[in-house]
Amino acid sequence: MWHVYGSQTNSPMTRFVEEFNKTVGKEQGILVNVTSISNSTAIHFPLVAAAKGLPGAGSLPELFVSYPKTALEIGPENLGNWDEFFTKAELDEYVPSFLEEGTFDGKLIIFPISKSTSALFINATIFDKFAEETDISYDDLTTWEGMFKAAHEYYKWSGGKAFFKYDDWLHYSMINTASFGGTFFIDEKVNFDDIHFQKLWKMLAKSAIAGEVCLLDGYSTTALMTGEAVCGIESTASILYFKDEVTFADNTKMPLELNILPVPYFENATPLAIQRGTGLMMTKGDASKRQARATFAKWITKAENNVPFSIATGYLPVKKAAYQKLLANKNASYEDEKAAKLYKIIPDIYEKYQFYIPPYFDGYGELEKRFCEEQNILFKKYKQVQYKHINSDVLADTMFNEFRKAMEMN
């Protein structure tokens, strides 16, 4: 197996594989051998090279973890079908959208062993002081209307500092357009005519050019740990990368106490949570080997295994029962306080939000990258100039048209 969970020397997946090999694997004559640990971005390329038989690529591993784009490039027809080894009753135990994402032409090609979503990470050390001295509270951070209000107040309170950062600005527009029932993509292109998209993008634009949004490159984790932002919206797996203190540009430090909330949603809209993460795929081959792989997949997704595995990796468990287990143990103690805070809100996301599956058309990744880059360029450009003599709504319309033109250029 090739996987993406942790480093070569400290991998939660490798620890669970060892446990499987000592128990169920030993009983049934199954040995899972981890031969490569990578990351979710880098693993794509050697897998595709191996599948295509490129020189020096080696053989495709029997089990591997990757994104749907990898399955599409390898060809779903060249991969094993997990459906053969699961009854309908067994599959009904899993979160439906997690199975849906891995299903191609009616066959379950990508098996969910963990997923992730986004969460709102808050530097409580700074936010609590800010909240004490203003009329802003954590309740404001549950909606986008409240977030923009808080960003505006924080800019004034802090003497001109940005309030929040989003790791993937496409997600902000895509998810919230869908939450209003809008259509963000048409024919694999951004639908700039959607009125919901126009409205929510212009709200963001006005906040950004006012200096209330952090426009730095890189991850929100870094922005929070350097004091460049108070809040960051990013993958739940980011919990593993937060340090215990903020180091400012002048090298002064303060403790970093994190609070974590679900991602905000707009009032009168359906709460949606991005569905992210890799899945487990297998090659074809004789039935006995495919059965052995399914035995491992069933074992790693049992609630008693999947919950601790998910917590160790910052991911979401994949079975409905696992969320009930988390809900029933909301006050359970964790080795890490940050993990305790994260997994107290995971059941809330599961119960209140609908999972949103991003599209996986050819060129989606390139479009996503370009969207974020062009938007950041535009926001920085307009932030550098004072437009006090121009009505903010007029300015937002101008920016939107300029953004549309940049995105529609061939």
Side-chain angles (χ1 to χ4, degrees), residues 301-315:
T301 55
K302 283 186 175 180
E304 59 265 34
N305 299 322
N306 203 227
V307 169
F309 171 69
S310 299
I311 291 171
T313 53
Y315 285 90

Side-chain angles (χ1 to χ4, degrees), residues 16 62 77 93 120 161 197 212 247 296 299 324 357 403:
F16 277 86
E62 296 176 73
E77 69 280 3
E93 296 174 0
L120 175 64
K161 293 183 179 180
F197 170 43
E212 299 160 2
T247 303
F296 173 72
W299 181 87
Q324 298 306 317
I357 304 172
F403 183 47

Side-chain angles (χ1 to χ4, degrees), residues 101-160:
E101 185 177 14
T103 301
F104 297 84
D105 296 326
K107 295 179 180 179
L108 183 59
I109 301 300
I110 307 173
F111 193 79
I113 56 173
S114 69
K115 284 293 175 185
S116 70
T117 189
S118 293
L120 175 64
F121 295 87
I122 306 153
N123 180 338
T125 314
I126 296 176
F127 182 83
D128 289 353
K129 187 173 187 299
F130 163 58
E132 282 178 11
E133 299 178 12
T134 64
D135 64 346
I136 300 298
S137 71
Y138 282 100
D139 287 343
D140 289 300
L141 308 187
T142 61
T143 67
W144 276 111
E145 288 86 353
M147 278 288 289
F148 288 124
K149 173 188 171 186
H152 182 67
E153 293 301 319
Y154 180 76
Y155 183 84
K156 293 189 294 183
W157 178 83
S158 65

Side-chain angles (χ1 to χ4, degrees), residues 11 44 52 123 147 151 269 274 317 331 342 369 371 394 404:
S11 165
H44 169 81
K52 293 183 177 180
N123 180 338
M147 278 288 289
I274 191 76
N331 297 317
L342 175 62
K369 182 173 182 288
F371 184 99
V394 173
R404 178 175 191 163

Side-chain angles (χ1 to χ4, degrees), residues 90 93-95 298 301-303 306 317-323:
E90 286 177 321
E93 296 174 0
Y94 293 82
V95 177
K298 290 181 181 183
T301 55
K302 283 186 175 180
N306 203 227
V318 294
K319 280 189 173 181
K320 301 169 187 174
Y323 289 90

Side-chain angles (χ1 to χ4, degrees), residues 170 173-174 177 182-186 189-191 194 197 371:
L170 179 79
S173 292
M174 177 176 66
T177 298
T183 304
F184 186 72
F185 288 112
I186 292 181
K189 295 180 180 178
V190 176
N191 177 21
D194 188 282
F197 170 43
F371 184 99

Side-chain angles (χ1 to χ4, degrees), residues 157-282:
W157 178 83
S158 65
K161 293 183 179 180
F163 184 64
F164 73 93
K165 185 179 185 333
Y166 208 133
D167 262 13
D168 192 320
W169 291 111
L170 179 79
H171 288 177
Y172 165 82
S173 292
M174 177 176 66
I175 294 168
N176 289 308
T177 298
S179 75
F180 281 111
T183 304
F184 186 72
F185 288 112
I186 292 181
D187 296 331
E188 301 179 358
K189 295 180 180 178
V190 176
N191 177 21
F192 284 90
D193 291 323
D194 188 282
I195 58 172
H196 305 294
F197 170 43
Q198 292 179 10
K199 180 180 178 181
L200 61 90
W201 190 91
K202 291 172 187 177
M203 288 178 68
L204 173 63
K206 287 190 282 187
S207 186
I209 62 173
E212 299 160 2
V213 177
C214 180
L215 302 177
L216 292 179
D217 296 330
Y219 293 108
S220 297
T221 312
T222 304
L224 263 68
M225 292 191 300
T226 57
E228 296 291 343
V230 179
C231 303
I233 296 173
E234 53 192 313
S235 168
T236 52
S238 301
I239 193 71
L240 303 177
Y241 302 100
F242 279 102
K243 296 179 181 177
D244 294 326
E245 61 183 12
V246 175
T247 303
F248 295 96
D250 61 1
N251 213 34
T252 57
K253 300 178 186 293
M254 71 159 52
L256 173 58
E257 180 186 347
L258 276 182
N259 276 337
I260 308 171
L261 293 174
V263 170
Y265 57 92
F266 280 95
E267 295 172 5
N268 303 315
T270 301
L272 297 180
I274 191 76
Q275 181 170 305
R276 307 172 69 168
T278 55
L280 189 64
M281 298 173 233
M282 65 172 164

